[in-house]
Amino acid sequence: MMHALRNQKVRGILFQLLTVIGLVAFLWYIGSNTMSNIEQRGIKTGFEFLNSTAGFGIDEAPISYQETDTHGRVFFVGLSNTLIIGFVGIIFSTILGLIIGVLRLSNNWLIRKMSAAYIDIFRNIPILLQILFWYNVVLKSLPAPRKSLEFAGDIFMNNRGLYIPQPDINSTTLTILASFVVAIVSIFFLNIWGNKKQEETGKDFPIIIIGFALFIILPIIAYFIGGANFNFDYPSLQGFNFRGGKSISPEFLALTFALVIYTATFIAEAVRSGIEAVSKGQKEAAASIGLSQYQALKLVVLPQAIRIAIPPTINQYLNLIKNSSLATAIGYPEIVTVFSGTSLNQVGQAIEIIAMTMLVYLTISLVVSAILNWFNHKMKIKER
Amino acid sequence: MSDFTTLDIFQNLLLAARWTILLSLIAFVGGGIVAGILILLRMTKNSILSAFIRIYVEIFQGTPLLMQLFLAFFGLPLLGIEVGPWTAASLALTLFTSAYLCEIWSGCLNSVPKGQWEAAKTLGLNYYQSMVHVIIPQSIRVATAPTIGFSVQVVKGTALASIIGFVELTKAGTMLNNVTFEPFKVFAMVAILYFVICYPLTRYSKYLERKLNVSS
């Protein structure tokens, strides 16, 4: 017996066994404890509640939703709002982060210091406070609908939100949308083709100019193919509020503003460290083999900077999506507000509801880390 | 109602800032202890324990802190444990911090070159001696900057405790805003107080990072 215990392998298996028994006992204890408590409180268990009527309204539902719909439907309304805020936030924070990150390295003293101050201020204040600030201080102090701020004649902003003209959905709008997709796809493939061509012949393929041209020409062609019938639905003041057009709620605006401004500081730092990480010798080497400044940037500096800047940036996208859960503080109806908030209050099944919500975020997080792993693998320095 | 002078508001916020700092300290120290235990468990090389720790870290890093607070605040009562905002916030923030610190510190321990282990072994040190005398002193140097950097995240994270009713700086700010109707003044002061707490930590972490890069 003692002899067997001294054997490292036997000991290893024994420890494994003990851990499993300990974990199972712990989980069983928690499980049975919870069950008896839930029974005592008369709370139901299981996922039946997903089929029961929710009975509350949601102001902003991207998918059709009525009060008589189920809690399951509420889950999907919340999820789609989470995805919308994530998508919009990621796009704008990337743009702002890129700009600030590049300005941070500007040769102009004032611009450099101002972008540094921007980064220092907004990354050292909790995002929750920033959301509350935009919501309570900026948007709530805007004028009432009758005295709306007016931009370019057709865009209105007041304390009930932002009103912008919305294009009518008809064959023209749809063909133009399709043309954008075609443009993006063709630029993607042209880029691959251009890179291959360059490796074979050494000639630079002007992808940026051609890309811009495609982005302008294709929609114009699409406009005429689609019947040249492009109409906007304009917002107009009727009674006490605006009708028509597309209205964007102050909750959505405050959340987007705060998330974009906060996340952009981190993306800017990632961009800066990426560019700084490319050593000066690389640029000098590029110049010495006769590359122009643009070629050096495109072929030498950017490929190396991107390798360093992208992983932290993707992590920030994940943080942005997680931070969007703070919408609950101002009542933007994303998944935490409507499902883990209103539905939970009505049904009381905290464990099922919170588990489902956490699972949503975990899934997003796992997908993002899978993308990150794929990227890191693809970007590994290949020895040739 | 709005007979609060600016000084009154500031004093009340300053008093509330104590709880922000205290909660941050609890979360940071508690999280550090839990992270230490997790790392010790991981070092046993037990594959089931390692898998458990991986799942633990994935759950706490992959979900919003707010959901963890909700889980502690609404979930624990269902287990038969009655918790107030204080317990729920401390617990959730401690676990949240521990997951991140566990990852940071593991990374730093792994960053010590393998040759150091081999050299320690050659000198006749056993596993724990090499850990205590060779590996840990070197990894602490690497770990300080990211750890202090993360402490800023903890301070900012305590703001979320206001959502479950914990009266700290942010909650005090919203309460004062509700009675004074001066959102700009109140929220600007709250922001300044957070900045005063977080900025020195950020700067110090950056300074340490630069120092480490220069010396290595």
Side-chain angles (χ1 to χ4, degrees):
Chain A
M1 182 67 192
M2 282 315 279
H3 187 73
L5 268 182
R6 275 198 201 102
N7 186 330
Q8 197 132 33
K9 231 178 190 166
V10 175
R11 223 164 42 184
I13 294 171
L14 199 69
F15 275 126
Q16 301 267 15
L17 219 62
L18 281 177
T19 337
V20 173
I21 293 172
L23 269 179
V24 169
F26 177 68
L27 291 178
W28 183 80
Y29 171 75
I30 289 186
S32 62
N33 208 347
T34 314
M35 278 311 179
S36 64
N37 265 298
I38 287 175
E39 261 170 48
Q40 264 177 13
R41 292 169 179 231
I43 299 174
K44 283 187 214 144
T45 51
F47 291 92
E48 284 297 304
F49 71 94
L50 288 175
N51 294 320
S52 64
T53 309
F56 57 86
I58 298 177
D59 285 337
E60 286 165 86
I63 55 175
S64 75
Y65 172 84
Q66 277 132 26
E67 280 187 29
T68 47
D69 279 329
T70 60
H71 285 293
R73 189 88 183 161
V74 172
F75 174 80
F76 285 108
V77 172
L79 179 61
S80 40
N81 272 331
T82 296
L83 294 178
I84 288 174
I85 194 83
F87 183 73
V88 174
I90 283 173
I91 289 181
F92 285 109
S93 58
T94 309
I95 297 171
L96 187 62
L98 268 175
I99 295 172
I100 303 285
V102 172
L103 292 185
R104 181 75 181 74
L105 293 171
S106 157
N107 289 327
N108 183 316
W109 183 88
L110 187 67
I111 290 176
R112 200 169 59 234
K113 288 293 163 197
M114 270 171 65
S115 36
Y118 166 85
I119 292 172
D120 276 337
I121 290 171
F122 287 104
R123 77 185 300 176
N124 283 308
I125 294 171
I127 174 75
L128 177 61
L129 188 71
Q130 295 189 36
I131 293 173
L132 292 173
F133 180 86
W134 287 107
Y135 190 63
N136 288 310
V137 179
V138 181
L139 293 166
K140 284 284 153 189
S141 61
L142 286 173
R146 278 168 177 281
K147 292 176 183 168
S148 295
L149 302 177
E150 199 180 309
F151 305 100
D154 294 312
I155 298 171
F156 299 95
M157 198 161 179
N158 56 46
N159 57 11
R160 297 207 193 160
L162 178 70
Y163 296 83
I164 53 173
Q166 184 180 30
D168 289 337
I169 294 179
N170 57 27
S171 58
T172 314
T173 354
L174 291 178
T175 29
I176 290 178
L177 269 181
S179 75
F180 277 119
V181 177
V182 171
I184 291 171
V185 172
S186 47
I187 287 170
F188 179 73
F189 283 108
L190 272 176
N191 192 25
I192 293 178
W193 182 80
N195 283 345
K196 214 174 127 206
K197 202 87 191 148
Q198 188 178 36
E199 258 169 44
E200 280 166 9
T201 62
K203 280 214 179 96
D204 192 27
F205 183 69
I207 185 68
I208 291 182
I209 299 166
I210 292 182
F212 260 116
L214 275 178
F215 245 101
I216 295 164
I217 295 168
L218 280 183
I220 292 176
I221 297 173
Y223 173 74
F224 289 109
I225 291 177
N229 177 27
F230 197 47
N231 280 323
F232 278 104
D233 180 16
Y234 292 101
S236 62
L237 188 65
Q238 281 170 14
F240 289 109
N241 211 345
F242 279 90
R243 305 255 157 160
K246 171 94 189 131
S247 71
I248 301 170
S249 71
E251 288 83 15
F252 182 84
L253 286 176
L255 192 61
T256 315
F257 264 58
L259 285 174
V260 166
I261 288 174
Y262 181 75
T263 311
T265 63
F266 293 92
I267 294 179
E269 284 292 271
V271 169
R272 183 184 68 104
S273 61
I275 296 176
E276 275 186 340
V278 182
S279 64
K280 212 176 158 192
Q282 294 279 333
K283 288 168 209 161
E284 288 168 356
S288 74
I289 57 171
L291 295 183
S292 71
Q293 200 147 30
Y294 164 74
Q295 281 176 322
L297 192 71
K298 187 190 164 199
L299 300 171
V300 178
V301 179
L302 276 187
Q304 300 184 65
I306 283 175
R307 189 177 288 131
I308 293 164
I310 294 260
T313 305
I314 291 181
N315 259 328
Q316 287 311 320
Y317 293 163
L318 193 58
N319 279 340
L320 186 144
I321 292 172
K322 286 194 280 175
N323 284 332
S324 74
S325 64
L326 298 178
T328 192
I330 54 171
Y332 174 70
E334 48 72 77
I335 192 160
V336 176
T337 312
V338 289
F339 194 62
S340 290
T342 322
S343 281
L344 184 123
N345 276 336
Q346 287 198 1
V347 187
Q349 291 180 246
I351 295 190
E352 288 90 340
I353 288 182
I354 293 179
M356 274 177 80
T357 317
M358 283 182 118
L359 212 59
V360 166
Y361 287 106
L362 266 183
T363 314
I364 296 175
S365 147
L366 287 174
V367 169
V368 170
S369 25
I371 294 173
L372 199 59
N373 281 338
W374 171 82
F375 177 84
N376 282 337
H377 183 76
K378 192 172 173 273
M379 278 294 170
K380 244 189 214 155
I381 295 175
K382 294 181 199 99
E383 306 272 334
R384 279 193 255 216
Chain B
M1 278 296 277
S2 63
D3 45 3
F4 276 89
T5 62
T6 307
L7 192 66
D8 285 337
I9 297 174
F10 188 69
Q11 267 176 346
N12 276 303
L13 288 177
L14 214 52
L15 288 175
R18 289 181 306 175
W19 305 125
T20 289
I21 293 172
L22 184 63
L23 187 60
S24 312
L25 283 176
I26 290 176
F28 200 69
V29 173
I33 292 168
V34 177
I37 294 170
L38 289 176
I39 287 175
L40 281 179
L41 289 178
R42 195 181 253 177
M43 281 193 316
T44 59
K45 302 261 185 306
N46 182 324
S47 57
I48 293 171
L49 273 181
S50 307
F52 169 77
I53 293 170
R54 225 182 18 253
I55 295 171
Y56 175 91
V57 170
E58 183 57 48
I59 286 180
F60 284 101
Q61 288 195 345
T63 59
L65 175 58
L66 184 65
M67 294 315 296
Q68 296 159 26
L69 278 165
F70 276 10
L71 197 61
F73 194 62
F74 298 115
L76 280 184
L78 294 181
L79 301 179
I81 308 165
E82 287 306 326
V83 288
W86 255 109
T87 332
S90 315
L91 185 70
L93 278 162
T94 299
L95 296 183
F96 169 80
T97 311
S98 73
Y100 279 86
L101 287 182
C102 178
E103 276 296 279
I104 294 174
W105 292 349
S106 299
C108 294
L109 283 176
N110 290 334
S111 75
V112 177
K114 213 174 153 204
Q116 296 286 332
W117 279 104
E118 288 163 358
K121 206 168 188 181
T122 331
L123 287 175
L125 301 181
N126 67 25
Y127 184 82
Y128 290 99
Q129 284 170 332
S130 11
M131 202 65 179
V132 171
H133 297 295
V134 180
I135 307 300
I136 290 180
Q138 295 186 64
S139 35
I140 282 179
R141 244 168 49 92
V142 188
T144 327
T147 305
I148 292 174
F150 180 71
S151 71
V152 179
Q153 303 287 334
V154 178
V155 176
K156 288 189 288 180
T158 61
L160 306 206
S162 66
I163 293 180
I164 58 168
F166 182 101
V167 184
E168 39 64 77
L169 198 43
T170 306
K171 181 77 182 174
T174 44
M175 285 158 77
L176 282 167
N177 173 37
N178 288 341
V179 288
T180 59
F181 303 109
E182 286 184 291
F184 185 80
K185 195 196 269 177
V186 174
F187 285 119
M189 279 191 204
V190 175
I192 289 170
L193 283 173
Y194 273 114
F195 187 79
V196 167
I197 301 171
C198 293
Y199 186 62
L201 290 171
T202 308
R203 277 315 281 267
Y204 186 52
S205 149
K206 282 225 175 109
Y207 161 78
L208 286 174
E209 210 172 290
R210 216 173 310 131
K211 206 171 85 174
L212 196 70
N213 280 340
V214 170
S215 66
S216 62

